[in-house]
Each structure stands twice: as structure tokens, then as C-alpha cells.
């Protein structure tokens, strides 16, 4: 009997020959137990030869596995004869050298309007078409501007103030581009404010439906009760409806005051101040330190800087573009 013809549930007993039992080769030992019905083990073919290994299961011939039906993705011709070569635009967009961009295209890592492009001769329109590399959008329009601004306390978040107060126009009013401010910071709040002429991105970054997180550091009256974080995460009721934070932690504490970090994706007016006051901790000072993946870092008050290509791509990704 073949070694593979034994039932897998019946290990060989010590002292049992390959054909032990009556009629065997003379080896001593008890006769092995017979195979279970339906396993096919111990079957003998013509001439007394073993029929080979047999396994439990159906005796019907196996059928080829049928792959699930997949909807064919419609192919769209993204080539624009009047456009610019894709690798040239990618290089200008900061992806890498022209040769690096060509390699990315040949490797199938570049998408134009959702279509994978592998040909180096494709031309596109940088203003109307969207390019992703490894899933991250690339800014190809050189006329688009993305700025990080550290708004000082006392500056009004508007491009024109009827009361003559210091506003954003005093900082960016002389620029040719029409810039949008992403969300607002009240006059008494300082910190990170993004400015851009990319209206679609600005809308998504500030709309709570897209879940882009904003981080604030607030100095509040202390001490902070242990349940404050839980109450804020569970949600508090404001006059315009319930609101909750995504994260809350105590950064530092001193006699009579504490510094806390609040993370949320809401964008209502004075929402951080109103939430903290609702749980018994009025805000003394408030600074926004992050918007999505962009950090204030060491940017000085009243100064601004251009976002780099990686930061712009990270903003697009955070906004789902």
C-alpha cells in the first residue's frame, strides 16, 4: 500500500508493516484498521497495484473556478493634441526630473483624469485636467497660489473691513491673484490661516463634510476637571446645535490656568471658544497650529510662506481631490 494511501486520520502504529496482518509479508504486528468509507483509501487497481493517493471529497471531476464578473472600466482618451507633454508638466510641477517622470509614466504610476497613462507621447491641458502620481494629486497650474499665513492677534479675517480695522488686505492686497482665506479666525485668535486662489480646494478644506482636521492650542482657566475631555468628545449642546471634538488633551497646567490642545473638523464661528466655555473653561488665548497636514511650525507672526509641492499634494489628498 502506498505511503499516501493511508487515511490522514490513522497514523501508522508501531510494529505494523506496510501490508501487515494476515496474508502480509510475514512482519509481526496487529492488522491495521480499515479505511473509512468514502475516503477511497486502500483501493487496489488491476494487477493488485495501488490505485495511487486518493483524498476525501466529491468524486465529481473538478470544475474550473469561475472568476467574478467585473465591470469594464471605460477608457477615456486623455490626449490633448494642443496640450503639453505629460512628463514636462510633471517635472515643472516638482515631481522630479524629466527622466524620473518618464519612468513613473512607464511604470503605470501616473493617472490623468482617473486613467492610467503609460505612453510618453501623451499631451494634456494643465488647467483642465487632473494628474495623480501614486494616488497623490500634482499641481500643474503655475498660476495657482498656496500660502500659509500666521495671522496676528487683532487682524480681521476679511479682504475688506468697513470699520477700517487691520485686515488680510493689508498683507496680501497688493497681489495680482484673488485669494480666498480657508475658514476664519476671529480677531482675538491668532495662528495658521491658509490663503489660495484654488476655490475648489478652499471649499473642501473648510467644509465639515470632508473631515479635514484643525488643531488649536488654547490657554484656559484651570484647573481642568478629569471629565472635560470625555464631555467634549461626547459632544456639548450649543445654541446652534450639538458639536464634539475629535481629540482633546492637556498640554500644560499652572496654578489657575492650563494649556490644552483641541482637534476638530467643525468650522462654526467661535466654535472652540464656545465649546470650552460650555464646559466651564473660558478661553484666555487661542492659537490655530494646524490645518490638515499643514503646520504653523516656526512661522513668525505676520509672516507668510508658499507651500511646497509635497504640502500641496498632501492638502489635495486630505480634501479628497
Amino acid at each position: 500500500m502506498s505511503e499516501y494511501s493511508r487515511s490522514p486520520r490513522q497514523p501508522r502504529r508501531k510494529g505494523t508493516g506496510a501490508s501487515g496482518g494476515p496474508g502480509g509479508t510475514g512482519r509481526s504486528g496487529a492488522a491495521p484498521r480499515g479505511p473509512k468509507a468514502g475516503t477511497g483509501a486502500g483501493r487496489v487497481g488491476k494487477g493488485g497495484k495501488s490505485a495511487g493517493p486518493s483524498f476525501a471529497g466529491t468524486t465529481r471531476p473538478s470544475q474550473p473556478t469561475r472568476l467574478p464578473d467585473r465591470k469594464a472600466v471605460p477608457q477615456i482618451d486623455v490626449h490633448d493634441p494642443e496640450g503639453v507633454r505629460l512628463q514636462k508638466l510633471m517635472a515643472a510641477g516638482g515631481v522630479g526630473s524629466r527622466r524620473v517622470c518618464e519612468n513613473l509614466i512607464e511604470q503605470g504610476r501616473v493617472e490623468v483624469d482617473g486613467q492610467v497613462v503609460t505612453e510618453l507621447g501623451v499631451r494634456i491641458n494643465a488647467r483642465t485636467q487632473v494628474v495623480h502620481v501614486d494616488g497623490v494629486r500634482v499641481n500643474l497650474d503655475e498660476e495657482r497660489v498656496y500660502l500659509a499665513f500666521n495671522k496676528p492677534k487683532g487682524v480681521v479675517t476679511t479682504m475688506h473691513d468697513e470699520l477700517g480695522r487691520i485686515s488680510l488686505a493689508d498683507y496680501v492686497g497688493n497681489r495680482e491673484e484673488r485669494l480666498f482665506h480657508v475658514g476664519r479666525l476671529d480677531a482675538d485668535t491668532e495662528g495658521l490661516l491658509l490663503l489660495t486662489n484654488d476655490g475648489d480646494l478652499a471649499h473642501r478644506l473648510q467644509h465639515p463634510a470632508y473631515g479635514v482636521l484643525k488643531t488649536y492650542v488654547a490657554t484656559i482657566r484651570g484647573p481642568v476637571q478629569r471629565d472635560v475631555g470625555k464631555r467634549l468628545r461626547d459632544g456639548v449642546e450649543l445654541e446652534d446645535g450639538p458639536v464634539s471634538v475629535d481629540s482633546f488633551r492637556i498640554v500644560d497646567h499652572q496654578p489657575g490656568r492650563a494649556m490644552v490642545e483641541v482637534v476638530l473638523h467643525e468650522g462654526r464661528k467661535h466654535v472652540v471658544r464656545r465649546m470650552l466655555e460650555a464646559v466651564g473653561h473660558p478661553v484666555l488665548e487661542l492659537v490655530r497650529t494646524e490645518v490638515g497636514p499643514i503646520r504653523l511650525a516656526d512661522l513668525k507672526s505676520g509672516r507668510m510662506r508658499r507651500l511646497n509641492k509635497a504640502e500641496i499634494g498632501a492638502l489635495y489628498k486630505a480634501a479628497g481631490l
Side-chain angles (χ1 to χ4, degrees), residues 3-266:
E3 176 72 19
Y4 296 99
S5 63
R6 298 197 321 273
S7 171
R9 297 184 180 180
Q10 303 298 329
R12 177 180 294 173
R13 297 183 180 181
K14 293 183 178 181
T16 302
S19 55
T25 58
R27 296 178 183 177
S28 62
R33 297 173 61 185
K36 291 185 178 182
T39 64
R43 290 182 298 174
V44 179
K46 294 181 180 180
K49 295 182 179 180
S50 172
S54 178
F55 303 97
T58 179
T59 57
R60 297 178 59 186
S62 61
Q63 299 295 324
T65 303
R66 181 180 179 182
L67 295 177
D69 295 332
R70 296 181 179 179
K71 295 182 179 180
V73 179
Q75 295 297 316
I76 302 174
D77 186 7
V78 298
H79 179 70
D80 184 350
E82 303 299 324
V84 181
R85 286 187 180 274
L86 177 57
Q87 58 266 38
K88 181 178 180 180
L89 288 173
M90 290 170 56
V95 176
S97 66
R98 187 81 62 89
R99 183 55 187 162
V100 168
C101 294
E102 290 175 350
N103 289 337
L104 291 172
I105 294 173
E106 292 176 334
Q107 293 168 8
R109 297 166 61 183
V110 180
E111 293 182 1
V112 178
D113 294 341
Q115 299 291 321
V116 176
V117 175
T118 57
E119 298 180 6
L120 299 180
V122 172
R123 295 174 177 269
I124 67 169
N125 187 321
R127 293 187 177 182
T128 61
Q129 294 181 278
V130 177
V131 174
H132 287 81
V133 177
D134 292 336
V136 178
R137 182 167 171 174
V138 180
N139 176 38
L140 302 178
D141 190 350
E142 296 181 355
E143 295 184 2
R144 289 184 176 177
V145 178
Y146 305 87
L147 303 173
F149 175 54
N150 187 349
K151 187 190 87 64
K153 189 175 182 179
V155 175
V156 182
T157 308
T158 180
M159 291 299 177
H160 175 70
D161 184 61
E162 296 179 353
L163 301 179
R165 295 172 293 182
I166 299 176
S167 67
L168 296 178
D170 293 281
Y171 293 88
V172 296
N174 60 344
R175 299 185 67 95
E176 296 181 358
E177 310 90 359
R178 181 188 176 188
L179 298 177
F180 305 94
H181 47 83
V182 179
R184 290 178 177 272
L185 293 176
D186 60 70
D188 292 332
T189 301
E190 53 189 309
L192 181 61
L193 188 66
L194 299 182
L195 302 167
T196 180
N197 57 354
D198 188 337
D200 190 18
L201 178 63
H203 168 71
R204 285 174 173 251
L205 289 176
Q206 61 188 326
H207 199 291
Y210 295 98
V212 180
L213 300 178
K214 289 86 176 175
T215 302
Y216 298 81
V217 173
T219 301
I220 61 177
R221 297 192 184 279
V224 181
Q225 301 298 322
R226 292 184 177 181
D227 66 338
V228 168
K230 183 179 185 304
R231 291 170 61 188
L232 291 172
R233 286 188 290 269
D234 291 343
V236 296
E237 189 70 34
L238 302 179
E239 61 271 18
D240 53 354
V243 63
S244 61
V245 303
D246 293 86
S247 174
F248 175 87
R249 69 183 181 95
I250 299 176
V251 178
D252 190 18
H253 57 85
Q254 300 174 357
R257 62 173 53 195
M259 184 178 292
V260 299
E261 180 188 80
V262 180
V263 182
L264 73 168
H265 60 273
E266 283 277 0

